[in-house]
Amino acid sequence: MEENANTSLEEDFEGQATHTGKETNGWPKGVINDWRKFKLESEDGESLPLSKKEMLRQMSSPHRSFSRDDKDTRERFCRKMSMQEYELIHAAQEDESCLQQYRKRCMQDMHQRLSFGPKFGFLCELQNGEQFLEAVEKEHKTTTVIVHIYEDGVKGCEALNSSLTCLAAEYPTVKFCKIKASSTGAGDRFSSEVLPSLLVYKAGELLSNFISVSEQFNEEFFAVDVEAFLNEYGLLPERELPALGNGTDEPDVE
């Protein structure tokens, strides 16, 4: 198994993808009706007055019909609904809290629809060629795997590891790994002249192979520089939506 891993590393290093790097208050009606239903479902049935509960049901059903001859009833209902709507949306503190919960649920639903595949969030240390092979070939087919080949004492390797640690937290759907050249079993091919090197995989296939990648940056470089470099080659996905907490610093949805 170790021999196969070493062969794979050598082939990838010499491989085909080598780079030197050289409408009410701005709310749509459908959203308002959806929020009313959410509020009705979230209210405690024991604490909510029947009149208010019935009004919420009426307000969340915009297609309620009236008899043509019942003009007075219709007008009274419309006036009552408008006053109740104003009370629900603009008045009570508990309504504002419910509206925030609704916003949070919408954001979470959108986040769940946009997020798929495994999550990581850290820079993984690979111990040998076999672990390298498993990290590349046994990962989910939608996952991008970025492997840093490094060695202690080689210029740029420590800074690149620090940068990748930051990027791993920013892009949790990307699997960031590092492995010492001497641990790959193909150390003779990863001399200090070609380090640090980055190998990028997806679905087990090599996408890009960057050698002496630190030469593309200034003497001092940071995560933002590495991020821009990888984005230039289209190797990073869109950023994840920020995590939603229980505080008030969640983004507004309008």
Side-chain angles (χ1 to χ4, degrees):
M1 184 70 174
E2 185 71 33
E3 182 178 352
N4 292 338
N6 296 342
T7 301
S8 176
L9 268 173
E10 293 175 6
E11 290 175 350
D12 290 342
F13 179 68
E14 300 173 343
Q16 70 278 12
T18 301
H19 302 276
T20 61
K22 310 188 195 167
E23 310 4 279
T24 296
N25 290 335
W27 287 73
K29 291 183 179 179
V31 173
I32 293 178
N33 290 329
D34 189 27
W35 175 78
R36 289 168 180 159
K37 292 178 181 179
F38 172 82
K39 179 174 177 60
L40 180 59
E41 293 169 358
S42 63
E43 289 279 5
D44 183 354
E46 295 296 328
S47 62
L48 187 66
L50 291 178
S51 59
K52 188 175 182 181
K53 195 168 185 179
E54 178 60 26
M55 185 58 59
L56 278 170
R57 284 200 183 94
Q58 294 169 347
M59 290 166 61
S60 63
S61 302
H63 301 296
R64 177 182 174 91
S65 60
F66 296 90
S67 170
R68 294 183 179 178
D69 298 329
D70 199 7
K71 180 178 179 181
D72 292 340
T73 300
R74 181 170 65 253
E75 290 179 351
R76 284 197 301 271
F77 173 79
C78 289
R79 286 196 299 271
K80 187 176 182 182
M81 184 178 70
S82 298
M83 293 175 63
Q84 190 72 19
E85 181 177 13
Y86 182 85
E87 177 189 358
L88 289 174
I89 297 178
H90 298 283
Q93 181 178 355
E94 64 270 16
D95 290 345
E96 178 63 25
S97 175
C98 184
L99 182 58
Q100 290 181 2
Q101 292 177 22
Y102 171 73
R103 289 171 173 169
K104 181 177 179 179
R105 189 188 70 173
C106 289
M107 291 294 292
Q108 289 174 334
D109 289 345
M110 182 171 64
H111 190 185
Q112 186 174 8
R113 288 195 300 270
L114 295 176
S115 301
F116 55 89
K119 300 294 180 66
F120 305 96
F122 62 95
L123 180 61
C124 174
E125 176 83 40
L126 305 176
Q127 301 298 327
N128 50 52
E130 183 176 351
Q131 288 188 4
F132 170 87
L133 192 63
E134 290 181 355
V136 169
E137 294 188 347
K138 295 186 178 181
E139 196 47 71
H140 193 278
K141 65 180 181 179
T142 65
T143 298
T144 298
V145 182
I146 299 179
V147 183
H148 175 207
I149 311 295
Y150 77 101
E151 199 61 72
D152 293 335
V154 175
K155 183 179 180 181
C157 288
E158 183 177 353
L160 188 54
N161 275 332
S162 297
S163 297
L164 294 178
T165 298
C166 295
L167 292 181
E170 293 288 335
Y171 296 90
T173 60
V174 177
K175 186 172 185 177
F176 289 89
C177 304
K178 63 178 180 178
I179 183 170
K180 286 186 176 182
S182 56
S183 300
T184 63
D188 56 328
R189 294 184 177 272
F190 292 102
S191 64
S192 58
E193 285 76 19
V194 300
L195 298 181
S197 296
L198 284 178
L199 279 64
V200 185
Y201 297 84
K202 194 168 188 178
E205 298 294 330
L206 179 69
L207 298 181
S208 296
N209 180 6
F210 302 100
I211 62 175
S212 302
V213 68
S214 60
E215 294 181 0
Q216 309 310 312
F217 311 121
N218 296 326
E219 186 173 346
E220 290 187 5
F221 62 92
F222 304 94
V224 64
D225 303 303
V226 180
E227 179 183 32
F229 176 79
L230 294 173
N231 275 326
E232 182 180 348
Y233 288 88
L235 297 173
L236 292 178
E238 294 292 330
R239 278 178 177 270
E240 286 277 311
L241 290 172
L244 295 173
N246 295 324
T248 59
D249 54 352
E250 56 188 351
D252 286 341
V253 179
E254 295 187 0

